[in-house]
């Protein structure tokens, strides 16, 4: 069996990755901050699918948490074949309404943790000549939208750059860019979702299935839904000045800072 490590595994997209990979027979390393939820998840996946599920409690907003996960990824005795950097969150409010501490915490989780964990995983994967990394970004990466969008744009650019550097090594990297997904994301950020149109919502399990198919095809960026692919096509041809105004208004209405 191969082993996958998933950060932010106990809810949303991370939990969907865990369900799908366990069902496919992969052993798991489940990473999140809540030990109790991790143990419940590990027990359920083990009992349902017969896989081994290791629990790793870590807060990726802290150096110690990042180091804990990086050390596990670098353990040559128990190699990780797939890393899913999924942990993330949103801040409610406009720029300057959100504390600098919260902004920096977001960059720590979305950027620094992704950088350090990708490096730790890719180093050992390259030695074995195989492996994959999925860095969860967002369609917000493609529009001007505050710290959240900027951090996700960094994830996309970083992933594409590393994918080119490691081409031919057997290590695949892909940035996953979903739209609105029914998870705990908005509730945790204190954001209402009643005004988000129904057609904009994606199913986490279908999203993960599409993402894994894109990874197998060798894609470096995955927008796993025709609706959002069409929207991002419009974004490419929209003048940046107009796009900035539209994304600012819709972001305040629907999404994180």
């Amino acid at each position: 069996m191969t082993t996958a490590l998933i950060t932010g595994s106990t809810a949303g997209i991370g939990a969907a990755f865990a369900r799908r990979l366990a069902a496919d027979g992969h052993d798991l390393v489940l990473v999140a901050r809540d030990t109790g939820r991790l143990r419940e998840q590990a027990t359920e996946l083990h009992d349902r699918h017969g896989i081994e599920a290791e629990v790793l409690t870590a807060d990726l907003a802290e150096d110690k948490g990042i180091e804990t996960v990086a050390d596990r990824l670098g353990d040559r005795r128990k190699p990780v074949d797939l890393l899913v950097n999924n942990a993330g969150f949103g801040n409610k409010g406009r720029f300057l309404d959100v504390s600098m501490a919260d902004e920096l915490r977001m960059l720590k989780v979305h950027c620094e943790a992704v950088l350090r964990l990708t490096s730790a995983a890719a180093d050992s994967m390259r030695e074995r000549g195989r492996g994959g990394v999925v860095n969860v970004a967002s369609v917000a990466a493609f529009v001007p939208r505050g710290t959240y969008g900027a951090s996700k744009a960094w994830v996309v650019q970083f992933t594409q750059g590393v994918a080119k550097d490691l081409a031919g090594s057997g290590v695949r990297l892909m940035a996953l860019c979903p739209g609105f997904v029914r998870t705990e994301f908005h509730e945790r950020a204190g954001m209402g979702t009643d005004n988000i149109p129904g057609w904009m919502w994606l199913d986490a399990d279908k999203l993960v299935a599409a993402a894994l198919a894109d990874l197998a095809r060798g894609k470096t960026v995955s927008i796993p839904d025709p609706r959002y692919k069409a929207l991002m096509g419009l974004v490419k041809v929209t003048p940046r000045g107009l796009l900035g105004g539209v994304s600012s208004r819709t972001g305040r209405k629907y999404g994180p800072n």
Side-chain angles (χ1 to χ4, degrees):
M1 289 186 181
T2 58
T3 298
L5 185 149
I6 307 164
T7 68
S9 70
T10 54
I13 295 173
F17 266 107
R19 289 192 296 270
R20 173 57 188 268
L21 292 168
D24 288 347
H26 297 275
D27 289 335
L28 301 175
V29 182
L30 305 171
V31 180
R33 293 178 298 170
D34 189 325
T35 304
R37 290 185 71 177
L38 281 170
R39 287 175 176 167
E40 289 177 7
Q41 182 185 32
T43 299
E44 179 184 354
L45 293 173
H46 169 75
D47 291 349
R48 178 172 298 180
H49 301 291
I51 55 94
E52 295 301 318
E54 178 183 342
V55 165
L56 195 60
T57 306
D59 183 352
L60 298 182
E62 303 290 339
D63 282 331
K64 182 179 180 181
I66 298 174
E67 290 164 4
T68 296
V69 182
D71 287 346
R72 177 62 184 85
L73 289 166
D75 188 344
R76 269 60 173 178
R77 298 166 302 172
K78 299 184 290 183
V80 170
D81 305 280
L82 175 65
L83 165 64
V84 180
N85 275 316
N86 167 74
F89 62 94
N91 289 322
K92 182 181 180 181
R94 301 186 187 188
F95 187 66
L96 297 184
D97 292 338
V98 178
S99 73
M100 184 56 62
D102 285 342
E103 296 278 47
L104 291 173
R105 181 168 171 265
M106 176 178 285
L107 293 177
K108 188 87 169 180
V109 175
H110 290 186
C111 301
E112 183 179 340
V114 169
L115 168 65
R116 292 168 64 181
L117 299 186
T118 297
S119 177
D123 186 43
S124 59
M125 289 175 183
R126 184 173 60 175
E127 288 181 3
R128 300 192 304 276
R130 67 182 188 279
V133 178
V134 176
N135 291 328
V136 178
S138 167
V139 293
F142 305 112
V143 295
R145 185 57 199 146
T147 306
Y148 181 84
S151 68
K152 293 303 186 180
W154 182 90
V155 171
V156 173
Q157 293 291 318
F158 166 74
T159 304
Q160 288 182 296
V162 176
K164 289 182 179 180
D165 287 344
L166 294 180
S169 69
V171 183
R172 295 180 178 181
L173 290 99
M174 186 183 78
L176 172 59
C177 302
F180 290 107
V181 185
R182 294 196 182 279
T183 69
E184 297 178 4
F185 179 94
H186 293 86
E187 181 182 349
R188 287 181 173 179
M191 302 171 191
T193 59
D194 293 342
N195 57 355
I196 299 176
W199 66 268
M200 296 185 74
W201 288 105
L202 303 178
D203 176 80
D205 293 312
K206 292 179 180 178
L207 183 153
V208 165
L212 291 174
D214 282 347
L215 180 66
R217 295 186 189 104
K219 289 191 175 184
T220 58
V221 176
S222 171
I223 303 174
D225 185 86
R227 292 164 288 181
Y228 280 98
K229 287 177 181 175
L231 282 175
M232 294 307 103
L234 290 174
V235 164
K236 290 181 179 179
V237 299
T238 302
R240 298 294 289 179
L242 175 61
L243 182 62
V246 171
S247 71
S248 179
R249 291 191 297 272
T250 56
R252 287 196 297 273
K253 186 176 183 181
Y254 298 137
N257 180 54

